[in-house]
Amino acid sequence: QVQLVESGGGTVQAGGSLRLSCTASQKIYTLGYMAWFRQAPGKEREGVASIYTYTGSGTTAYTDSVKGRFTISQDTAKNTVYLQMNSLTPEDGSMYYCAATTRTPYIPLGSRLQSDKYTDWGQGTQVTVSQ
């Protein structure tokens, strides 16, 4: 089981930017998939972005609402995955969670934002976007 620690959340005005970090307790290139999810009060958990970390290959996927604004990336030397969030809107305000799972079984690209595919989760970091 891998431990995940998120950081970087906070309060920002609409149109602003934040970068979230997720640091893993093991080498992320030995994992398979890492992702960011978000969940607002009263809403279902939503997959935001994923990255294939095994061997550092870096294949990514995004939910439509963040394409062109959010970027997921990895730093294998720091065992950290980032989520750069630009042009934030109040609708982006939520608790953001980092998740990870092993490279087997294989997860098709179209399924990498489904929360039930992931086995390990961080505690979350809050993002608030004000008008």
Side-chain angles (χ1 to χ4, degrees), residues 57-109:
S57 68
T59 304
T60 59
Y62 298 90
T63 192
D64 286 346
S65 64
V66 308
K67 286 179 181 177
R69 300 188 299 124
F70 291 12
T71 302
I72 189 170
S73 62
Q74 61 182 324
D75 185 333
T76 54
K78 295 182 178 180
N79 298 322
T80 298
V81 168
Y82 302 99
L83 185 68
Q84 178 66 43
M85 307 187 294
N86 299 328
S87 302
L88 286 161
T89 72
E91 289 70 35
D92 294 316
S94 191
M95 184 70 80
Y96 282 73
Y97 298 92
C98 179
T101 193
T102 58
R103 65 184 181 93
T104 59
Y106 173 73
I107 304 175
L109 187 62

Side-chain angles (χ1 to χ4, degrees), residues 17 33 37 45 53 74 87 117:
S17 299
Y33 308 89
F37 290 79
R45 188 165 293 190
T53 59
Q74 61 182 324
S87 302
K117 303 301 184 189

